[in-house]
């Protein structure tokens, strides 16, 4: 880490403290102005930190909260005739925000080495994935222009057979344009053949692409990996011999995935089913796992096993993995025991703080066995399966070589150097400034 980032983190924390102290001393005799001024200024700065470093709903909520706090601070200071305090307070707050922005950003792209060109690159594509993205973006035509052989799945085709035939026919670089389930299948075959794999985010959510640093909104840009790419090595995970790139979920999410409506309306189906599935009256699956300390527990309404640990803020999305090469599985178990706990879970879900829920456990392991007295419904990278117990999960460290566009490879490398837990919080800045690990709540570890 650059020393300048450490200095910036110290400056961000120091100027926030100075700003709060200055406001407090300036209006010390007026308790109502003191309380409201210090509160709104503190909320403003912390909300700005979140806006700079978070994504999705958390960022949007922080932006709204920050705007409200700014308006409140201005109104309080102007109404109390302390314009000088307003100006100085905002200047100090601005310095704190700017310093935090620099401290929390990555060290910049790493230099990467371009991979040698492939002699026979192939891209398989599912024309129905993601509402027809492969067709909409003209991926087959773009492939031909790059010298890549496009293989478009027909309704009667078997993806595994097509991929195996392409590899047997001499493909030395193979890619998949489709959802995460298709990515996992073709990635497993590329891993077995020892050839690089290209991820083209033409599915619905494309979480694997997200955590690799690929721009999911610019689908054609992912094809740059065929022309001008760099190789990175990542892990795969397996459950009973089936490969997955993201996660395998039992309980709540597995029930959602099993729904006949899920494939056509993923988010709507999840939103409609989750309240009944996570409530205290819901019957949890008959599962049992062993915690790292040796304790046997029933995981409750949700058990999630991921290819490297997620940082989960919300059940409905927003989870990311800082790295895909840690050689471990991430495990999350959720138990909701009462109506009061269900209400608290909902509140923490909305604020992106699920890990603070008392029924939340998370840990990491290189392998995991899940026991049950009956077949287990599992959502594996969004695909609905029913597997016979016991379910044996293992991590396959460094099993897959992914060829990324050069820019994505450089950005991914710089991001992977950031210490775990660098969130836009006081704890995150403290970690950068003084080298202490941010205190995170991790049950069962």
């Amino acid at each position: 880490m650059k020393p300048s980032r450490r200095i910036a983190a110290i400056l961000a924390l120091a100027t926030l403290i100075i700003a709060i102290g200055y406001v407090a001393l300036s209006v010390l005799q007026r308790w109502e102005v003191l309380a409201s001024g210090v509160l709104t200024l503190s909320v403003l700065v912390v909300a700005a930190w979140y806006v700079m470093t978070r994504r999705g709903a958390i960022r949007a909520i922080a932006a709204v909260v920050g705007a409200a706090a700014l308006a409140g601070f201005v109104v309080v200071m102007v109404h109390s005739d302390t314009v000088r305090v307003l100006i100085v307070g905002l200047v100090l707050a601005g310095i704190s925000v700017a310093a935090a922005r620099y401290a929390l950003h990555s060290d910049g792209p790493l230099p990467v080495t371009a991979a040698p060109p492939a002699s026979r690159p192939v891209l398989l594509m599912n024309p129905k994935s993601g509402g027809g993205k492969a067709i909409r973006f003209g991926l087959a035509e773009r492939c031909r222009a790059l010298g890549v052989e496009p293989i478009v799945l027909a309704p009667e085709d078997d993806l595994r057979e097509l991929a195996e035939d392409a590899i047997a026919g001499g493909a030395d670089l193979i890619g998949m344009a489709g959802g995460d389930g298709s990515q996992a299948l073709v990635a497993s075959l590329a891993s077995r053949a020892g050839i690089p794999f290209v991820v083209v985010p033409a599915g619905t959510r494309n979480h694997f692409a997200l955590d690799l640093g690929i721009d999911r909104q610019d689908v054609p840009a992912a094809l740059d990996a065929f022309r001008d790419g760099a190789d990175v090595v990542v892990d795969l995970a397996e459950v009973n011999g089936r490969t997955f790139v993201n996660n395998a979920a039992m309980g709540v999410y597995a029930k959602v995935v099993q729904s006949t409506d899920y494939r056509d309306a993923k988010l709507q189906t999840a939103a409609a089913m989750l309240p009944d599935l996570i409530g205290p009256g819901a019957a949890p699956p008959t599962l049992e796992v062993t915690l790292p300390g040796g304790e046997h527990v029933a995981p409750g309404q949700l058990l999630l096993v991921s290819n490297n640990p997620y940082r989960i803020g919300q059940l409905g999305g927003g989870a990311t993995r800082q790295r895909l090469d840690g050689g471990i599985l991430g495990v999350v178990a959720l138990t909701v025991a009462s109506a009061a706990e269900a209400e608290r879970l909902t509140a923490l879900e909305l604020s992106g703080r699920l890990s603070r829920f008392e029924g939340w456990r998370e840990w990491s392991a290189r392998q995991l066995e899940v026991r049950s007295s009956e077949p287990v419904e599992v959502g594996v990278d969004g695909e609905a399966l029913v597997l016979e117990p016991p379910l044996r999960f293992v991590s396959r460290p460094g099993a897959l070589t992914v060829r990324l566009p050069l820019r994505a490879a450089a950005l991914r490398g710089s991001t992977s150097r950031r210490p775990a837990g660098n969130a836009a919080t006081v704890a995150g800045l403290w970690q950068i400034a003084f080298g202490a690990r941010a205190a995170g709540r991790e049950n069962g570890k």
Side-chain angles (χ1 to χ4, degrees):
M1 182 188 300
K2 292 180 179 178
S4 57
R5 285 182 60 198
R6 191 177 302 278
I7 294 171
I10 295 172
L11 179 62
L13 293 170
T15 49
L16 174 59
I17 295 171
I18 293 170
I20 293 173
Y22 175 76
V23 172
L25 291 174
S26 299
V27 293
L28 193 58
Q29 304 303 319
R30 305 166 65 180
W31 68 267
E32 73 283 359
V33 178
L34 170 62
S36 56
V38 168
L39 176 63
T40 52
L41 184 61
S42 302
V43 171
L44 168 61
V45 174
V46 175
W49 292 350
Y50 271 80
V51 169
M52 290 183 300
T53 58
R54 297 295 178 92
R55 289 179 286 188
I58 297 299
R59 184 175 189 175
I61 292 171
V64 172
V65 171
L70 174 60
F73 183 67
V74 172
V75 168
V76 169
M77 293 297 107
V78 172
H79 183 71
S80 59
D81 294 325
T82 51
V83 176
R84 175 177 54 85
V85 177
L86 167 65
I87 295 173
V88 174
L90 289 180
V91 168
L92 290 171
I95 294 173
S96 180
V97 170
R101 179 186 179 89
Y102 179 80
L104 292 167
H105 88 305
S106 69
D107 289 324
L110 283 174
V112 294
T113 302
S119 60
R120 193 197 164 194
V122 171
L123 178 67
L124 296 114
M125 58 189 74
N126 184 347
K128 294 186 177 180
S129 287
K133 288 182 180 178
I135 303 299
R136 188 162 69 250
F137 290 107
L139 296 186
E141 293 78 9
R142 292 174 184 269
C143 281
R144 294 187 186 99
L146 290 170
V148 177
E149 179 187 350
I151 301 177
V152 182
L153 275 74
E156 67 277 8
D157 286 335
D158 181 272
L159 176 60
R160 177 180 292 275
E161 289 183 3
L162 289 178
E164 288 176 339
D165 289 346
I167 293 172
D172 56 350
L173 175 61
I174 191 167
M176 180 67 213
D180 286 318
S182 300
Q183 300 284 354
L185 190 156
V186 180
S188 69
L189 299 176
S191 171
R192 184 190 307 167
I195 62 175
F197 176 64
V198 174
V199 177
V200 179
T204 302
R205 298 192 66 182
N206 300 113
H207 214 128
F208 189 43
L210 169 67
D211 291 337
L212 284 168
I214 296 172
D215 185 352
R216 297 178 297 173
Q217 306 306 314
D218 191 355
V219 177
L223 298 178
D224 290 345
F226 286 105
R227 177 184 57 194
D228 198 17
D231 291 342
V232 298
V233 177
V234 301
D235 307 332
L236 294 175
E238 289 183 356
V239 52
N240 289 8
R242 182 186 177 102
T243 297
F244 59 95
V245 293
N246 292 330
N247 60 68
M250 293 137 279
V252 173
Y253 183 69
K255 290 287 187 183
V256 172
V257 172
Q258 298 285 338
S259 168
T260 56
D261 298 326
Y262 176 76
R263 189 164 295 279
D264 294 327
K266 290 179 170 61
L267 296 180
Q268 296 91 327
T269 302
M273 295 181 67
L274 280 175
D276 292 332
L277 292 174
I278 66 174
T286 57
L287 305 177
E288 182 185 81
V289 296
T290 304
L291 296 177
E295 178 187 1
H296 299 288
V297 298
Q301 282 82 358
L302 172 68
L303 178 64
L304 181 78
V305 183
S306 58
N307 176 27
N308 286 277
Y310 281 100
R311 292 184 297 189
I312 301 178
Q314 296 175 304
L315 289 174
T320 58
R321 290 167 289 182
Q322 183 168 3
R323 60 186 304 176
L324 291 169
D325 58 355
I328 56 175
L329 303 168
V331 189
V332 170
L334 172 67
T335 303
V336 183
S338 66
E341 287 191 5
E343 291 179 1
R344 175 168 167 76
L345 175 67
T346 301
L348 291 172
E349 158 82 359
L350 291 173
S351 62
R353 297 179 297 160
L354 273 177
S355 61
R356 297 190 180 185
F357 180 65
E358 52 267 32
W360 182 272
R361 288 189 178 96
E362 59 181 305
W363 68 97
S364 59
R366 296 194 180 276
Q367 57 187 10
L368 180 77
E369 182 177 276
V370 178
R371 301 171 291 278
S372 176
S373 59
E374 57 190 18
V376 181
E377 294 179 344
V378 191
V380 181
D381 284 342
E383 302 292 326
L385 302 175
V386 178
L387 302 179
E388 291 294 328
L391 275 58
R392 294 186 173 90
F393 293 87
V394 296
S395 173
R396 294 177 53 202
L400 179 67
T401 298
V402 178
R403 184 158 298 178
L404 296 174
L406 282 177
R407 176 170 173 77
L411 291 175
R412 181 181 178 277
S414 64
T415 301
S416 69
R417 295 180 296 170
R418 296 176 64 180
N422 271 7
T425 61
V426 173
L429 285 169
W430 185 274
Q431 178 181 336
I432 296 174
F434 304 108
R437 293 191 63 83
R441 186 177 182 271
E442 189 172 18
N443 295 322
K445 199 170 185 178

